[in-house]
Amino acid sequence: MIETAMESDLARILVNADAIDKRLDELGETITNHYQSNGVEELTLICITNGSIIFAADLLRRINMYARVDCVRVSSYQNEDSPITEPEIIDQIRLDLTGRHVLLVDDILDTGKTLEKLVMILQTFEPQTLETCVLLEKQGRRQCRYEATYVGFKIPNEFVVGYGLDFAERYRNLPHIGVLRPELQNPPEWQ
Ligand code: HPA
Ligand code: MG
């Protein structure tokens, strides 16, 4: 394969496309089995855009039951990778969540602030159940006690891009997850 400029911005590949594919098969099966064994007929996925769009689209097709989908946009990272402000919903959910089985989907559990805040907000709609699924969980970054119900991969504390994850809105279209070369990242004091 010819290395593109985008590929050469990576220090290394952390999770390749085959590993993502395999793990998503497992996650889809685990999630489907969990709800079906509890007699749940329909699931409501709430995807946090933009980071989870690729993960959510691939996961959704592995969930073998009725599923409704909506997206929520949260502002917490001020266009770079450092969580400067408190997370805030800036595009409201249109689906009715009351009494529903809700699965919140995000790309990465980092400080935990986004998921913790969103879970708090979604609880106010009184869903019957509320679980969370993240593609990645970054080690050693948590600033709150929040744990996701389903985790794709646990990764070291490095800045990653690809498969939906960005730096300054770039790299989401990489088919794998890689560590961005340090000289292309924000200065360490921002992280
Ligand atoms: N990459 C992209 N976005 C992020 C990361 C990361 O490592 N951590 C939190 N948001
Ligand atoms: Mg981002």
Side-chain angles (χ1 to χ4, degrees), residues 1-184:
M1 196 170 67
I2 300 162
E3 192 173 65
T4 62
M6 182 169 66
E7 293 279 354
S8 65
D9 288 352
L10 298 181
R12 65 180 205 280
I13 292 177
L14 202 59
V15 190
N16 68 34
D18 284 347
I20 296 173
D21 216 48
K22 200 162 153 268
R23 184 71 187 119
L24 258 75
D25 284 346
E26 292 170 1
L27 276 179
E29 197 180 329
T30 305
I31 291 168
T32 306
N33 287 345
H34 166 74
Y35 287 103
Q36 279 181 344
S37 65
N38 284 291
V40 174
E41 226 179 61
E42 186 179 69
L43 190 59
T44 302
L45 260 84
I46 301 293
C47 314
I48 305 179
T49 54
N50 294 330
S52 82
I53 52 169
I54 294 176
F55 173 47
D58 284 348
L59 180 66
L60 185 59
R61 282 172 288 178
R62 289 162 163 97
I63 293 178
N64 193 13
M65 59 189 291
Y66 291 120
R68 306 184 308 160
V69 187
D70 206 352
C71 293
V72 64
R73 184 179 292 273
V74 177
S75 72
S76 60
Y77 299 93
Q78 288 191 345
N79 80 32
E80 301 300 341
D81 70 337
S82 180
I84 298 160
T85 54
E86 273 291 300
E88 203 184 315
I89 291 190
I90 54 173
D91 186 14
Q92 287 303 323
I93 299 154
R94 286 162 189 86
L95 287 181
D96 155 42
L97 304 182
T98 309
R100 302 293 188 148
H101 295 275
V102 176
L103 181 64
L104 181 61
V105 179
D106 203 3
D107 54 354
I108 187 162
L109 179 58
D110 187 301
T111 63
K113 283 185 171 180
T114 305
L115 267 197
E116 186 187 43
K117 181 81 183 278
L118 261 192
V119 163
M120 255 171 56
I121 294 170
L122 295 188
Q123 290 288 14
T124 66
F125 295 101
E126 301 186 346
Q128 191 167 334
T129 63
L130 175 56
E131 296 189 337
T132 50
C133 179
V134 294
L135 173 66
L136 304 175
E137 181 186 303
K138 207 183 266 193
Q139 307 289 285
R141 289 275 297 169
R142 219 75 64 250
Q143 288 175 17
C144 55
R145 283 193 313 159
Y146 198 79
E147 297 294 335
T149 321
Y150 305 99
V151 175
F153 301 93
K154 293 192 175 181
I155 61 162
N157 185 6
E158 291 184 277
F159 195 84
V160 292
V161 293
Y163 198 70
L165 289 109
D166 74 308
F167 177 75
E169 293 303 321
R170 280 183 167 176
Y171 309 106
R172 295 195 198 276
N173 51 327
L174 280 171
H176 35 244
I177 298 159
V179 177
L180 192 61
R181 285 194 357 229
E183 65 271 28
L184 298 172

